[in-house]
């Protein structure tokens, strides 16, 4: 059977422990009341029409990542239909990544699936809201078992060698986890750059990126470096893979294109809107959001230097805050899907994944894979 392998001088801010002012309230003046409160509602409609790669035939399998329910997002409706022989939802994998699995007996007939989701989001802004003003790090951090797994290395995110060496240089003698996190975040956002020539969201191969000395990539590359460096200093961290849903309001004040867009009726084609974010865990508090990758995207989109005041405002906001015109799916890295795919393990699960008789269909090419994501916001 044919196989196709298509997947293939730090500027640290001195006040590392200080949370800078974040996006002024005036950036929200044109938004409706719910939006100024950070609460939004989207309908996301996904359509899939599978086409067998040339030379492939036989059983067709499709795995679709689904959003999980969290404090910052809730799935209020989920419906699916199609020509499949069987389809069901499961989270039976190492990361509990919620999955819609569908299968067709052969690749000869029409293979379609339509998924409709209604999602309510709430901006996640613990730093902006002052929730850490009275936080004190425990002398001996204790991590629950479901958090401690995010200290472990994966194939694409080792925590030793050059990763550990780089992390130790960045944090120096600092031992307080929140200050370590801000040092690492500022190093990543200042020293890495977005490379639009990278396919998809990037592979997030952290050691290869650091060893190359070329600190460029897309969101998975950049945020995976942040996550791996955090784990290397003993702070749990993880990526969350998801997709942008529509117009950025708060962040849109600084860039109309970098953080998500929609038409004047709230409709958006988000087929290529996959985006990886990051978060880290403080013992005695919980998870905190971060997104250094979007700082680099804004810098490139607006052609600004990192020292530009607008870039710095975005940089400050994205340490400890997320604007939720985005929905997250899962935290999976280097893991087996369920049912187990023939091409395994999967690097990450931010895109739909399909196999025809064990041959993967290139999910980086939605025109070849034939899938389409459309979002509309309730206004």
């Amino acid at each position: 059977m044919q196989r196709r392998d298509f997947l293939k001088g730090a500027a640290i801010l001195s006040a590392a422990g200080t949370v800078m002012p974040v996006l002024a309230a005036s950036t929200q003046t044109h938004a409706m009341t719910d939006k100024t409160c950070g609460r939004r509602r989207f309908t996301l409609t996904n359509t899939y029409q599978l086409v067998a790669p040339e030379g492939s035939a036989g059983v067709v399998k499709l795995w679709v990542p689904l959003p999980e329910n969290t404090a910052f997002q809730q799935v209020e409706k989920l419906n699916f239909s199609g020509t499949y022989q069987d389809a069901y939802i499961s989270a039976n994998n190492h990361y509990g990544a919620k999955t819609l699995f569908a299968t067709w007996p052969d690749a000869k007939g029409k293979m379609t699936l339509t998924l409709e989701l209604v999602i309510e989001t709430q901006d996640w802004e613990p730093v902006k809201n002052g929730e850490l003003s009275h936080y004190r790090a425990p002398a001996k951090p204790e991590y629950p078992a479901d958090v401690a797994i995010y200290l472990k290395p994966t194939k694409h995110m080792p925590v030793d060698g050059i990763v550990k060496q780089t992390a130790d240089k960045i944090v120096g003698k600092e031992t307080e986890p929140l200050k370590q996190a801000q040092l690492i975040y500022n190093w990543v956002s200042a020293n890495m750059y977005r490379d639009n020539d990278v396919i998809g969201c990037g592979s997030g191969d952290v050691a290869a990126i650091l060893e190359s000395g070329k600190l460029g990539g897309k969101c998975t590359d950049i945020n995976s470096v942040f996550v791996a460096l955090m784990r290397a200093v003993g702070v749990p961290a993880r990526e969350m893979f998801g997709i942008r849903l529509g117009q950025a309001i708060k962040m849109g004040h600084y860039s109309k294109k970098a953080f998500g867009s929609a038409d004047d009726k709230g409709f958006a084609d988000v087929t290529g809107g996959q985006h990886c974010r990051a978060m880290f865990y403080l013992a005695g508090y919980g998870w905190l959001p971060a997104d250094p990758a979007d700082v680099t995207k804004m810098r490139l989109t607006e052609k600004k230097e990192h020292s530009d005041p607008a870039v710095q405002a975005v940089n400050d906001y994205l340490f400890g805050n997320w604007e939720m015109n985005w929905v997250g799916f899962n935290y999976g890295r280097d893991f087996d899907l369920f049912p187990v795919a023939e091409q395994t393990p999967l690097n990450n699960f931010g895109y739909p994944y399909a196999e025809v008789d064990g041959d993967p269909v290139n999910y980086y090419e939605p025109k070849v894979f034939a899938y389409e994501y459309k979002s509309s916001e309730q206004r």
Side-chain angles (χ1 to χ4, degrees):
M1 179 168 55
Q2 183 180 3
R3 300 294 180 192
R4 296 168 178 81
D5 185 13
F6 62 85
L7 302 176
K8 290 268 186 209
I12 304 171
L13 299 185
S14 59
T18 303
V19 176
M20 302 296 288
V22 293
L23 305 188
S26 62
T27 67
Q28 305 174 54
T29 55
H30 299 293
M32 295 174 64
T33 302
D34 279 352
K35 292 181 183 180
T36 59
C37 295
R39 189 178 299 280
R40 301 171 71 174
R41 186 182 178 91
F42 300 88
T43 297
L44 178 64
T45 304
N46 305 348
T47 57
Y48 307 87
Q49 183 172 340
L50 278 73
V51 178
E54 185 177 352
S56 294
V59 175
V60 179
K61 299 176 182 179
L62 171 67
W63 294 258
V64 176
L66 299 176
E68 68 168 41
N69 290 322
T70 71
F72 49 81
Q73 62 184 38
Q74 292 288 316
V75 178
E76 297 188 345
K77 178 182 176 182
L78 188 159
N79 291 325
F80 59 89
S81 61
T83 61
Y84 46 77
Q85 182 182 54
D86 189 23
Y88 58 89
I89 294 172
S90 175
N92 185 36
N93 55 72
H94 179 69
Y95 287 96
K98 196 172 181 181
T99 307
L100 171 59
F101 175 74
T103 185
W104 293 259
D106 58 61
K108 296 178 181 178
K110 189 174 183 180
M111 299 177 290
T112 63
L113 184 146
T114 299
L115 167 67
E116 183 181 81
L117 298 159
V118 176
I119 304 159
E120 184 172 282
T121 68
Q122 173 69 50
D123 288 351
W124 188 21
E125 300 178 321
V127 168
K128 185 171 184 280
N129 293 335
E131 295 178 20
L132 293 173
S133 58
H134 301 294
Y135 173 74
R136 298 293 181 273
K140 294 183 178 180
E142 296 285 344
Y143 300 116
D146 62 343
V147 172
I149 62 171
Y150 297 106
L151 284 168
K152 296 180 179 180
T154 76
K155 176 183 177 181
H156 288 89
M157 291 197 304
V159 297
D160 57 1
I162 193 170
V163 180
K164 176 63 173 171
Q165 295 164 16
T166 304
D168 288 345
K169 287 179 182 178
I170 294 168
V171 301
K173 295 182 180 180
E174 183 58 65
T175 59
E176 202 282 316
L178 181 57
K179 293 180 180 179
Q180 289 180 324
Q182 193 153 28
L183 284 165
I184 290 171
Y185 171 89
N186 286 334
W187 184 91
V188 171
S189 66
N191 288 279
M192 296 195 72
Y193 64 92
R194 182 176 174 87
D195 182 354
N196 279 338
D197 290 333
V198 169
I199 297 173
C201 289
S203 64
D205 192 338
V206 175
I209 291 169
L210 294 177
E211 287 169 355
S212 73
K214 297 178 181 178
L215 304 181
K218 290 271 189 74
C219 56
T220 299
D221 301 310
I222 295 165
N223 284 337
S224 291
V225 169
F226 171 77
V227 167
L229 293 173
M230 291 293 291
R231 292 185 186 185
V233 298
V235 179
R238 63 191 183 189
E239 307 98 320
M240 192 173 197
F241 299 91
I243 195 164
R244 301 186 200 271
L245 293 172
Q247 179 65 51
I249 298 172
K250 299 173 184 178
M251 302 286 284
H253 178 77
Y254 297 93
S255 176
K256 297 296 184 184
K257 296 181 180 180
F259 311 115
S261 60
D263 67 17
D264 56 5
K265 294 182 180 180
F267 291 95
D269 184 338
V270 297
T271 305
Q274 287 82 4
H275 179 56
C276 160
R277 288 178 166 178
M279 57 178 77
F280 62 97
Y281 189 91
L282 293 183
Y285 175 81
W287 289 104
L288 283 168
D291 193 353
D294 255 0
V295 181
T296 69
K297 184 177 184 183
M298 182 261 190
R299 204 168 59 216
L300 177 65
T301 302
E302 299 302 320
K303 297 179 174 57
K304 293 181 180 292
E305 297 295 325
H306 190 68
S307 58
D308 183 275
V311 175
Q312 284 301 299
V314 169
N315 189 75
D316 295 339
Y317 178 80
L318 288 175
F319 181 78
N321 307 284
W322 284 350
E323 182 178 4
M324 287 301 297
N325 60 321
W326 172 90
V327 65
F329 298 143
N330 59 74
Y331 316 104
R333 286 304 302 268
D334 299 308
F335 75 112
D336 289 343
L337 294 167
F338 178 83
V340 177
E342 290 201 38
Q343 301 294 308
T344 193
L346 193 68
N347 182 340
N348 64 71
F349 193 31
Y351 290 80
Y353 178 77
E355 291 182 347
V356 179
D357 196 24
D359 291 338
V361 184
N362 189 349
Y363 54 76
Y364 285 140
E365 293 288 345
K367 291 182 180 178
V368 175
F369 198 139
Y371 65 86
E372 186 176 66
Y373 288 9
K374 295 291 182 69
S375 174
S376 63
E377 182 171 5
Q378 178 179 309
R379 295 190 169 184

